[in-house]
Amino acid sequence: MSSQSRGSRLPDDSESNDRHRTEERAEGRLGDELGRRFASFVDEHGEHKSDVVREALDEFLPSSERSRYVLPRDPELADAYVALAGDERRKIAVDVAEDILCRESHPNTPKELVRQEVLEPLTETGLIAVEYGTVAVHPLTTRTEVSDGE
């Protein structure tokens, strides 16, 4: 294989372990103020931009073990809970909750299996309750609220 046909692969990459095919790529534009803060942080700390973005996303995204919210340990249940939860306690009809989960956190799970495979295990976490055709969802709680005793 010539180096020209390798495209943007690194020297150790092959067709089977091409990092550009196995890693998710995301692009975005930052507004003036956020862009300045980002550039300043990178310069002051000698960090690589991509490392800062990865760490920030890891902290922000719900299935992260380092999430700022109290979440189920199972990443799939964490994603499901975040799809249903908000800043305040809420009640949702079971069929609406199933629709939300099928659309947002479990698109490959048939709707008829969502109650058994997602809602029932999520109930065991204590973050939701399912009764009389309604799902009661505890609001998102930051880890600091729990560690501060609130």
Side-chain angles (χ1 to χ4, degrees), residues 13-25:
D13 285 347
S14 67
E15 288 286 335
S16 62
N17 76 342
D18 185 347
R19 67 189 171 96
H20 293 289
R21 292 178 192 230
T22 60
E23 293 180 355
E24 184 67 32
R25 181 172 176 83

Side-chain angles (χ1 to χ4, degrees), residues 26-30:
E27 294 183 33
R29 297 191 183 277
L30 305 177

Side-chain angles (χ1 to χ4, degrees), residues 30-49 52-53:
L30 305 177
D32 290 340
E33 174 60 21
L34 184 57
R36 278 192 293 277
R37 289 175 36 216
F38 180 65
S40 176
F41 181 88
V42 168
D43 290 343
E44 288 174 14
H45 293 87
E47 298 279 344
H48 294 281
K49 290 179 182 180
V52 173
V53 170

Side-chain angles (χ1 to χ4, degrees), residues 69-119:
Y69 296 110
V70 174
L71 300 174
R73 291 182 192 262
D74 180 322
E76 289 192 22
L77 292 181
D79 289 344
Y81 171 64
V82 170
L84 296 174
D87 291 334
E88 296 186 17
R89 183 174 175 87
R90 64 190 275 200
K91 290 185 179 183
I92 312 166
V94 169
D95 62 329
V96 172
E98 291 170 342
D99 287 340
I100 291 169
L101 295 173
C102 284
R103 186 177 59 248
E104 295 184 25
S105 67
H106 288 75
N108 297 323
T109 303
K111 186 175 178 180
E112 58 272 8
L113 296 178
V114 167
R115 185 169 188 159
Q116 177 185 349
E117 293 183 5
V118 183
L119 288 177

